[in-house]
Amino acid sequence: MKRIVTIGGGTGHSQVLKGLKNICDIQITGICPSSDSGGSTGVLQKEYDGNGYVGDLTKCILALCEDDILRKALSYRYENGPLHTHSVKNLLFHALEKVSNPEEALRAMWKVCGLKEHRIIPVTNEKTQLCASLSIGNIILGEANIDTIAKNPLWNPEVHSISDIYLEPEVTASEVAVDAITQSDYIVVCPGDLYSSIIPVLLPGGIKEAIAKSSTKVILILNIMTKKGETDNYTATDFVEKIEYRTGRKVDYILYNNAPIPEHVLLKYSLEQKVELGSFKDTQDSRIIPVPLATVSKSEHIYSDPKIITETIGGILQNEK
């Protein structure tokens, strides 16, 4: 059985998990960031001393849940009233932590969702805040503020680009997370917001060192679109270089979208200043695997197709047997 570690935030990570769970003979350990401060997670933190991993963690757990009705019920999000912004999964997991401890709460959530060989964990249980340094010297505090930096009417991508990202205070990764990486056969870096979802998993002490020293193969699934405020004007090469800097080593496989996206969908994204990730500077890099990753939902959002994830990564594992 191959041991697979996945790294990333919520939506992009969960899409990859939906694909990976259909591959036979693997054991998945998903590692999520612990520095979320927006939405339901942010409210639970401020009002009820919650942790900064609740939303991403539970979304990824549900991606591995096979019971459709249970998954829909736990995903249900209240639209108004005192529970506005909260989903059932977040409230349940928060309650589990309050009546037990983080480890017992995790085991209970895995059990509720029917996880057997797979598991989803936070990168650290220590409380911390994500911070970003801008190219002009300003500091942005909090994941929610970094995630929405481009909503500031004075924001300019040429002036206010992110030059560094870090945690304050510095924290150490959990032993479970470090051990999972050390013992893994493959690490899959999932698509998502580069600075507010992916890199935060790589920041706690011990993670970069474990990846850099390991002999495991690293698979990077590139984003399909850029993120306004984080990766404006980024090419695929820029994205790869940022990940390799944070992991301390070269990646072994790079999955890159080559599926055409309908023009009207691209136009909708362009209104939010989001465009397709630019191509590689070196298109002959043997690590690049062009695949039709992009799929468009009924609401015209672009996602990574779980079926392509299953086929492509399943093929990589099969070829390396």
Side-chain angles (χ1 to χ4, degrees):
M1 181 172 286
K2 296 292 185 181
R3 291 164 293 190
I4 313 293
V5 165
T6 56
I7 287 173
T11 303
H13 194 169
S14 66
Q15 286 295 108
V16 172
L17 291 170
K18 290 174 185 177
L20 289 179
K21 71 180 181 181
N22 294 319
I23 300 174
C24 297
D25 299 324
I26 68 169
Q27 187 270 321
I28 302 168
T29 299
I31 305 179
C32 295
S34 298
S35 49
D36 189 2
S37 63
S40 171
T41 299
V43 173
L44 291 173
Q45 276 183 297
K46 295 170 187 173
E47 302 294 334
Y48 303 102
D49 192 33
N51 290 301
Y53 48 72
V54 175
D56 286 340
L57 191 77
T58 55
K59 180 176 286 187
C60 288
I61 290 174
L62 287 194
L64 297 174
C65 178
E66 298 293 351
D67 188 315
D68 288 342
I69 293 177
L70 177 62
R71 185 172 60 250
K72 289 177 181 178
L74 291 174
S75 298
Y76 181 80
R77 190 174 296 275
Y78 296 91
E79 297 180 357
N80 46 52
L83 295 181
H84 175 60
T85 76
H86 293 297
S87 62
V88 173
K89 63 182 178 59
N90 288 6
L91 296 175
L92 173 61
F93 187 73
H94 178 73
L96 287 169
E97 286 198 311
K98 288 302 179 183
V99 300
S100 57
N101 58 57
E103 290 77 19
E104 291 177 350
L106 266 178
R107 287 195 292 270
M109 197 73 180
W110 297 340
K111 184 177 180 180
V112 167
C113 293
L115 273 62
K116 296 177 181 177
E117 67 272 17
H118 307 315
R119 57 185 180 167
I120 305 295
I121 61 174
V123 66
T124 181
N125 289 323
E126 299 176 39
K127 292 184 182 295
T128 186
Q129 178 175 231
L130 189 66
C131 306
S133 298
L134 302 186
S135 53
I136 58 171
N138 295 43
I139 303 295
I140 305 296
L141 304 179
E143 178 273 338
N145 293 324
I146 296 168
D147 185 49
T148 58
I149 183 176
K151 291 186 177 180
N152 187 318
L154 299 178
W155 175 82
N156 181 332
E158 304 299 327
V159 178
H160 305 114
S161 60
I162 294 174
S163 59
D164 191 23
I165 199 89
Y166 59 95
L167 297 174
E168 184 63 46
E170 295 182 358
V171 295
T172 302
S174 71
E175 288 185 16
V176 177
V178 173
D179 287 346
I181 290 170
T182 303
Q183 297 169 19
S184 66
D185 298 298
Y186 293 87
I187 296 171
V188 179
V189 181
C190 302
D193 295 341
L194 179 62
Y195 291 106
S196 51
S197 288
I198 304 171
I199 291 178
V201 183
L202 304 172
L203 294 179
I207 293 295
K208 180 177 180 179
E209 295 79 3
I211 296 174
K213 293 178 181 178
S214 73
S215 58
T216 186
K217 296 293 180 69
V218 178
I219 302 170
L220 171 60
I221 305 175
L222 287 175
N223 283 6
I224 298 167
M225 307 295 291
T226 61
K227 166 71 181 291
K228 182 181 177 183
E230 293 194 30
T231 53
D232 303 271
N233 305 316
Y234 268 43
T235 65
T237 300
D238 295 326
F239 206 98
V240 172
E241 288 176 350
K242 296 296 183 183
I243 293 297
E244 290 182 333
Y245 172 73
R246 295 292 177 173
T247 57
R249 55 164 292 180
K250 293 282 187 180
V251 301
D252 299 281
Y253 300 94
I254 305 168
L255 274 59
Y256 178 70
N257 176 59
N258 67 354
I261 300 170
E263 287 296 327
H264 73 280
V265 176
L266 291 176
L267 177 60
K268 180 179 177 181
Y269 270 74
S270 70
L271 296 176
E272 299 178 7
Q273 296 182 29
K274 299 175 183 178
V275 299
E276 289 186 83
L277 191 67
S279 60
F280 290 91
K281 295 174 183 175
D282 176 13
T283 56
Q284 302 304 310
D285 189 332
S286 61
R287 300 174 299 166
I288 302 170
I289 305 176
V291 287
L293 267 177
T295 184
V296 179
S297 68
K298 291 180 180 179
S299 59
E300 298 189 338
H301 287 92
I302 301 169
Y303 295 107
S304 296
D305 190 340
K307 293 180 180 178
I308 301 301
I309 300 294
T310 303
E311 295 171 5
T312 308
I313 295 185
I316 292 172
L317 301 188
Q318 185 66 32
N319 291 336
E320 291 206 348
K321 277 189 177 181

